[in-house]
Amino acid sequence: MKYKPADHIQDLQYFGEFGGVNPSISDSSTYTFLSAKTMFDTFEGNAEGCYLYSRHSSPSNLYLGEALAAMEGTESANVSASGMGAITSVLMQLCNAGDHIVCSRTVYGGTYAFLKNFAPKFGIETTFVDITKPELVQNALQKNTKVIYCESVSNPLLEIADLEALAKISKASNSKLVVDNTFSPLSISPIKLGADVVIHSLTKFINGSSDTVGGVVCGTTEFINNLRNVNDGAAMLLGPTMDSLRAASILKNLRTLHIRMKQHSHNAMFLAHKFQEDGLKTVYPGLESHPGHETFKTMMNESYGFGGMLTLDVGSLDKANELMELMQERNLGYLAVSLGFYKTLFSAPGTSTSSEIPEEEQKEMGLGDGLIRFSIGLDNDIARTYEMMKDCMEEVGILSAEMV
C-alpha cells in the first residue's frame, strides 16, 4: 500500500488553550515552574510537557515538528531557523574529526561550501561523486565514512538519487543516509525508501509564501534527542532556533501543501512538454527523456507529481539574463533565487545559488552558463503562461516563429 503523506498531516488535530482550531503561539523565551524539582527534572529530560527555554524547545516548534515528522513518516523532528541550520547540525552531530562523507556532486551551493570549505577545519573530509551511479558511491566509501549525503532531486541539475540503492549501500557500510528532500516534499518519502535522516528547507515549498526562512530534521526519537542534548547536541549548542511566530505560520501553510504541490507539478509538466516540443534543452523529471525518470517513478507518491522545478539551457548567460529580465517585465515571475512561491521564480544558478561551486567543477557536472532554473508557480491558466513565455523567447531570439 502506497504511503500517503498528506493524509498524515490532515489527521493531526490541534486545539489552542481556548479551543482555537490553531494551537496558541508560545511567545516566550523562558518558562516558569511551580517547583524547583520540576525545573531540575526538565533539565534532566524527565518532565514531559514542561518547557525550559526556547532554544531547547517551545510548544509552537514542537507542534510544527510533530506535523513534519508525520508527513515524512519519522518518529520525531526538530525545526531550525534555516535549512542550512538543519544541514550543518545533522552533519556535525554525525561526524567527528577524522570522519569522511560521500556527497552528491550536485547539491545546494551552501551545502557544497560547508562540506568543501568549512568542515575540513574540523577534520571532516568529503568525496563528491555522481550520485546517480551507485557504483561510484560504493567505490568512494572509506573505512571512516559516516554519512552518505544527497538530495532526492538535486539542485540545480535535477538529478535523481536512487534512494533504495543508496540505502542498501549505507546500511552495508554502517553509515547514515542523509537526504535533503526540499525539492520533492510529498512526492518522495525518503524514510520509506531506507533513508536514516530527512532534511528540508522549510523556506521553499513547505512554507510556500517566501516570507520566512526555516529548516527541519526528521529522524528517530533517539537521533532528534541527541541533536537537542544540552551537553553535546549540535542543534542545541549551535543555536539555530526557529522563532515561535514563524513556526506557527509555517504550520498553517503546511496544511495546503498537497494542493500546492499538485498545481506546481501540473504546471511544470505542461511547460516542460511544450518547451521540449519547441526544441529547447529541457530538463524535468516528469519527461521520459530525463535520465532519472524511471527511478523517480519507482519512488514517487503518485498523486503529487514530479515537482515544480525545471531547467532550460538557452546557450549563454547573456541570453539567460535577457530572457529572465523580459519575463519579469511581462509579469511572468521574478528574477529571484529560492523556490516554492506562488509566482514563478527564475535564476541562472551558475552565478547565483550554485556560485560557491568553482567554474571548472560546474562544467564537469554539466552546469552550463546558459542554464535557467525555474520554480514554476501556481498559475491558473498555464497555457496562457506558456504563450507569454514563448513570445519572450521569440523576442530575445531563443526561439524563432518557424521553430514553433
Side-chain angles (χ1 to χ4, degrees):
M1 189 173 177
K2 278 283 188 180
Y3 185 64
K4 298 181 178 179
D7 289 357
H8 293 270
I9 300 171
Q10 178 186 316
D11 290 346
L12 290 169
Q13 282 186 277
Y14 300 111
F15 296 92
E17 283 79 352
F18 306 101
V21 294
N22 291 310
S24 301
I25 299 171
S26 173
D27 194 21
S28 294
S29 60
T30 190
Y31 298 85
T32 61
F33 295 88
L34 298 180
S35 74
K37 183 180 184 307
T38 307
M39 177 182 277
F40 173 79
D41 289 341
T42 304
F43 258 109
E44 296 295 307
N46 300 320
E48 186 147 353
C50 292
Y51 301 92
L52 181 70
Y53 184 55
S54 285
R55 177 160 57 87
H56 185 257
S57 65
S58 71
S60 296
N61 288 10
L62 290 176
Y63 283 133
L64 177 59
E66 182 181 9
L68 292 164
M71 179 186 80
E72 286 294 355
T74 62
E75 294 176 350
S76 189
N78 187 66
V79 297
S80 60
S82 69
M84 283 305 299
I87 292 164
T88 55
S89 293
V90 167
L91 295 176
M92 296 301 284
Q93 190 70 33
L94 291 174
C95 297
N96 295 316
D99 287 340
H100 176 253
I101 295 170
V102 177
C103 180
S104 171
R105 63 179 182 170
T106 58
V107 286
Y108 171 57
T111 307
Y112 174 90
F114 176 77
L115 291 173
K116 184 82 170 183
N117 305 326
F118 198 86
K121 296 179 182 181
F122 300 91
I124 300 168
E125 300 296 332
T126 301
T127 301
F128 295 92
V129 300
D130 182 347
I131 206 71
T132 66
K133 298 176 180 176
E135 66 274 14
L136 297 183
V137 176
Q138 181 71 55
N139 293 340
L141 292 174
Q142 301 177 10
K143 290 182 180 179
N144 58 340
T145 301
K146 292 295 190 294
V147 171
I148 298 173
Y149 185 96
C150 69
E151 297 167 348
S152 305
V153 181
S154 77
N155 183 4
L157 297 183
L158 309 184
E159 293 179 340
I160 308 302
D162 185 340
L163 299 182
E164 289 182 299
L166 294 175
K168 290 177 183 176
I169 294 171
S170 72
K171 284 172 175 53
S173 63
N174 199 30
S175 57
K176 298 295 184 184
L177 177 59
V178 178
V179 180
D180 182 337
N181 201 34
T182 298
F183 275 26
S184 46
L186 301 182
S187 295
I188 296 176
S189 300
I191 289 293
K192 301 302 179 182
L193 300 167
D196 296 291
V197 179
V198 179
I199 293 167
H200 283 274
S201 169
L202 301 178
T203 314
K204 314 302 194 302
F205 286 113
I206 288 177
N207 185 51
S209 52
S210 291
D211 61 355
T212 192
V213 175
V216 68
V217 179
C218 303
T220 63
T221 299
E222 180 183 12
F223 181 66
I224 299 303
N225 285 343
N226 287 342
L227 277 177
R228 292 175 179 155
N229 189 286
V230 297
N231 294 307
D232 59 7
M236 182 64 168
L237 299 177
L238 297 177
T241 308
M242 174 172 278
D243 178 76
S244 292
L245 294 170
R246 288 306 188 187
S249 175
I250 295 170
L251 180 59
K252 292 171 188 172
N253 290 345
L254 178 66
R255 293 164 183 161
T256 63
L257 178 62
H258 60 293
I259 301 169
R260 291 184 281 111
M261 287 311 302
K262 289 175 184 179
Q263 190 68 17
H264 284 302
S265 294
H266 168 78
N267 287 352
M269 180 72 93
F270 182 93
L271 291 177
H273 277 297
K274 288 292 189 181
F275 292 149
Q276 184 170 255
E277 289 169 5
D278 291 338
L280 294 169
K281 189 176 179 182
T282 310
V283 175
Y284 180 66
L287 296 174
E288 291 185 7
S289 60
H290 190 292
H293 175 71
E294 292 301 324
T295 301
F296 197 119
K297 279 181 68 176
T298 64
M299 298 190 295
M300 73 187 297
N301 302 313
E302 290 182 14
S303 54
Y304 310 105
F306 291 88
M309 305 300 296
L310 67 83
T311 68
L312 295 177
D313 194 329
V314 298
S316 71
L317 181 58
D318 287 343
K319 281 295 181 187
N321 290 339
E322 188 179 358
L323 175 61
M324 290 188 293
E325 288 170 4
L326 184 59
M327 288 192 297
Q328 179 168 256
E329 184 182 310
R330 300 283 169 83
N331 296 327
L332 284 163
Y334 294 107
L335 175 50
V337 298
S338 201
L339 47 129
F341 194 43
Y342 81 96
K343 289 280 283 185
T344 295
L345 304 177
F346 31 81
S347 63
T351 55
S352 58
T353 54
S354 296
S355 60
E356 297 93 337
I357 302 173
E359 285 186 24
E360 62 273 14
E361 292 186 35
Q362 290 187 25
K363 289 177 182 175
E364 284 177 19
M365 66 178 65
L367 204 174
D369 288 342
L371 191 77
I372 302 175
R373 189 191 76 176
F374 287 82
S375 169
I376 304 301
L378 301 174
D379 307 35
N380 180 59
D381 187 349
I382 194 62
R384 170 179 175 268
T385 298
Y386 164 69
E387 292 297 335
M388 294 173 68
M389 285 185 169
K390 184 179 72 170
D391 289 344
C392 291
M393 292 175 187
E394 290 178 5
E395 196 166 323
V396 301
I398 292 167
L399 287 176
S400 66
E402 291 75 23
M403 292 173 61
V404 294

